[in-house]
Amino acid sequence: MTDPKAIQPSELDQLPDRDPEETAEWQASLDAVTKAAGPHRAAYLMRRTLERAEGNGIALPKLLETDYVNTIPTSAEPAVDGDEAMENRITAWNRWNAAAMVTRGAKHGVGGHIATFASAAWLYETGFNHFFKGKEADGSGDQLYIQGHASPGIYARAFLDGRLTEAHLDNFRQEAAGNGLPSYPHPRRLPWLWEFPTVSMGLGPLSAIYQARFNRYLTARGIKDVSDSHVWAFLGDGEMDEPESTAALALASREGLDNLTFVINCNLQRLDGPVRANFKIVQELEAQFRGAGWNVVKSLWGNAWDELFQLDTTGALVRRLREVPDAQVQTYQTRDAAYIREDFFGKDPALVELAKLLSDDKILECFHLSRGGHEARKVYAAYRAALSHKGAPTVILAQTVKGHTLGPGFASKNANHQMKKLSTDEFKQMRDLLELPIKDSDFVDGVVPYGHPGADSPEVRYLQERRAALGGPAPARRTHAIAPLPSASEKAFASFDKGSGSQNVATTMAFVRLVKDLVRDKETGRRWVPIVPDEARTFGMESLFPSLGIYSPKGQTYEPVDRDQLMYYKEAKNGQILNEGITEAGSMADFIAASTSYATHGEAMIPFYIFYSMFGWQRTADQMWQLGDQLGRGFLVGATAGRTTLTGEGLQHADGHSPVIAATNPAALSYDPAFAYEVAAIVKDGLRRMYGESAPNEDPNVFYYLTVYNEPIPQPAKPSGLGIDQGIVKGLYRFNTAESAGLSPAANAARIQLLGSGTAIHWALKAQQLLAEEWGVAADVWSATSWTELRRDALEADAALLRGEERVPYVRQALHGAEGPVLAVSDYMRQVPDQIAQWVEQDWSSLGADGFGLSDTRDAARRYFGVDAESIVVAALAQLARRGEVKATAVKEARERYGL
């Protein structure tokens, strides 16, 4: 009978076989080896054959996993170009001071993490001594994404280097009084040291990929050659569970980002226990990264394992290492040699014999201490291999022990992430292990001392000499003395002041038209970075394709299907547009890299990221916070904004709350402009503040959020009068009065103030007319361009009063003396305009689109939410009726007349 396994269908059945007899001979040879020497030998031969094929350039699918051993054998490790003994002493000081800093801070209850840096110390130290380029040489240096929980070790090294003092270390996580150190990498709190905030899990890896990609973009566009910069991202194996951590792996390999290296600290633990208790995280990550096209370097075992691998003549050791789940490896770290002999070696007769050749001390050395991530030579070899590899990014999977050198009370314990201090006895054990010259008498009143060999010690001199050779201190954020960018032509902004006449223009189109004019500016046009997540045509940006080009490292290798059209799809190696596909997270990562280029590379870029407003803050608000942390500058544009303007799309697309989320971000200046000239005025002011001559009391490290609408409406001319531009920027100005609108109210007519933002102002203007013509009520209409900025100004005024300073909020100044009550309306939930209610001296009421959205026409949706012109009229009459200024019956009559 034919073997069923031999007749299973295969994709190879579809390929021509020129010599079936030869094929059968190869298969028979494999069967013979399997029968004679076993399946492990057959698998070994097959892998060797595949390896040879790859070396000969034969295109074959790659294996996704390799054995659980180091990628680089000991015999192939390059010599370390430094003093390994000296670096060992430096690392010992850093380990000590990192633990001392957190322990001393524990008495204040501020927390901290000890175990992470203890496991990763050599991953950082090797880089600092040999690889990480600083910023004082030519170019921009390297970009370092430090794992957040390892920050104590970075501070400890800066202390050894003389960049921090004992006072700094004693103020770890205590910043309010000044001279403190933030808990995690944080450019806004420590801007001379940290470049990238990384502790929001998953955002560090995502940002690192797009930073490496943006470096290529800058070079390709001729802005600055940063081809010598390398991006290093230090990550935890548990962090890789976050979807953002692996969201852009394919982008990195597709674009060949060999200027990027991930270093994943595989200590096999996350916050509460093993990362993959019943599996192997290293193997899983290897398969994931190899499948995405990355170069993978595994550094798992230290030199102590060499003897074991040499004794393993049957392959049983490698097979056993691969089958033992991570949680059991963690257990071996805490158990004695007898347990390891029985549980690890006792599972296979060949391993039982091998273990007889090993002393207990040798077994404990291997299973307790010897990991690839804990030995400088292993880490150095991995880093050198990463930099040597061309054509793809590299991930280094370095196995470590969480809590290494902190003693048996810490190493590999499930709870060590929450353990914030060592006892005096544990510190003394650590001192002896690290061979540090710290005396018992240095522990005064039970307080662990900081350790320092002296500013002129061999250790410090060596450290500083190594950093000088690599281009200066690291990590470091350079504050460049960048000249303000020249102002763009006034013509680009002034063209919106006259309005659109009878032409219907949406504010989205107005913004795109403004940008089209600004990118033509001879001085600053090339610095604009348009970013869009595959919605350019939705926002009318396709006209930018042929003129600016879409960035692609390969250019355009095909003839576009629309080549004969005026606005054809044009990709180019020096393209200016970043069209990211359907990824808001990737687009935000792009924006962050571009918006911080002024610091990272000394080149001010002007990014604008335009997106469905519903898919911005709601989906990626954590990245907006990261943007603020990183001191980014630029324009976020929420298009197709509002709850009722996007007809037919329903609640999943209807944004009624993005300004609420934006208001929570202190770095976000949130605007809801109604008219094209307002958009122009806000962008003009944003360019001045972020890139030009900002006022002394203005922080340039902000970003602007503009909501723009897809509803084509005739755009009015900019009202004449003083202070309009100031009012637009501050958040409120009077657009018209009943009289200036030509409505001729009676001298004793009841009056109300209508405040509207965004598209809602058009409903307010219609309501103004209805109130005058049908109810004899005079209404003045105000454009509230930013409810949030009005609130912030008012909060600052309140704070000033508490300091004894006399200050009146701008909103109160603007509305001072305005007759009647105030009725505010927007296309967002009422919470948006209600931000300013407490500072308005008039009676206050508001309307908004609260609740979920729905699919219908704009008019029907507005009637449903009670924000259309007729609903505004009824609400206005109700306010006036409560004040006795119109008859109470008018409210009921209006409801019936308008079918409400």
Side-chain angles (χ1 to χ4, degrees), residues 8-49:
Q8 293 298 312
S10 162
E11 73 276 4
L12 296 178
D13 295 339
Q14 303 172 68
L15 304 179
D17 188 344
R18 295 188 304 174
D19 192 340
E21 185 176 343
E22 181 183 37
T23 303
E25 289 175 357
W26 277 71
Q27 292 172 333
S29 297
L30 180 63
D31 292 342
V33 170
T34 304
K35 183 177 180 179
H40 300 302
R41 176 61 181 169
Y44 178 83
L45 290 175
M46 289 300 300
R47 288 179 52 193
R48 279 297 194 184
T49 303

Side-chain angles (χ1 to χ4, degrees), residues 482-488 521 523-525 527-528 603-606 687-688 690-693:
I482 302 176
L485 295 183
S487 299
D521 186 86
E523 296 287 342
T524 61
R527 296 191 177 275
W528 283 85
E603 295 288 345
M605 304 299 288
I606 312 171
L687 290 172
R688 175 199 62 80
M690 294 185 291
Y691 301 98
E693 298 285 356

Side-chain angles (χ1 to χ4, degrees), residues 133 138-143 215 219 225-231 259:
K133 293 185 287 291
D138 294 337
S140 300
D142 288 351
Q143 288 83 56
N215 291 356
T219 301
D225 185 356
V226 295
S227 55
D228 197 41
S229 291
H230 198 85
V231 177
N259 60 337

Side-chain angles (χ1 to χ4, degrees), residues 797-847:
D798 286 355
L801 285 173
L802 293 176
R803 296 192 300 268
E805 303 170 19
E806 195 66 34
R807 183 174 162 191
V808 179
Y810 172 77
V811 64
R812 186 165 293 170
Q813 295 177 44
L815 290 171
H816 180 68
E819 266 186 76
V822 167
L823 174 60
V825 61
S826 79
D827 203 19
Y828 294 96
M829 57 199 302
R830 289 176 59 184
Q831 186 175 339
V832 175
D834 283 349
Q835 291 180 86
I836 66 170
Q838 71 188 80
W839 293 280
V840 174
E841 58 189 17
Q842 293 88 349
D843 290 343
W844 174 271
S845 184
S846 64
L847 296 174

Side-chain angles (χ1 to χ4, degrees), residues 160 271 785 811:
L160 204 65
L271 306 191
T785 54
V811 64

Side-chain angles (χ1 to χ4, degrees), residues 738-786:
E739 290 77 10
S740 65
L743 298 175
S744 304
N748 61 346
R751 187 174 290 269
I752 191 168
Q753 309 298 317
L754 302 179
L755 277 57
S757 69
T759 196
I761 203 168
H762 300 287
W763 322 330
L765 288 169
K766 183 179 177 183
Q768 178 189 45
Q769 183 177 359
L770 292 174
L771 283 167
E773 294 176 353
E774 300 185 12
W775 306 97
V777 172
D780 302 336
V781 176
W782 299 69
S783 180
T785 54
S786 180

Side-chain angles (χ1 to χ4, degrees), residues 536-537 541-550 568-570 577:
R537 297 182 193 278
M541 290 175 57
E542 65 269 27
S543 60
L544 299 177
F545 288 169
S547 58
L548 300 184
I550 299 164
Y568 69 98
Y569 195 84
K570 177 186 175 183
I577 300 169

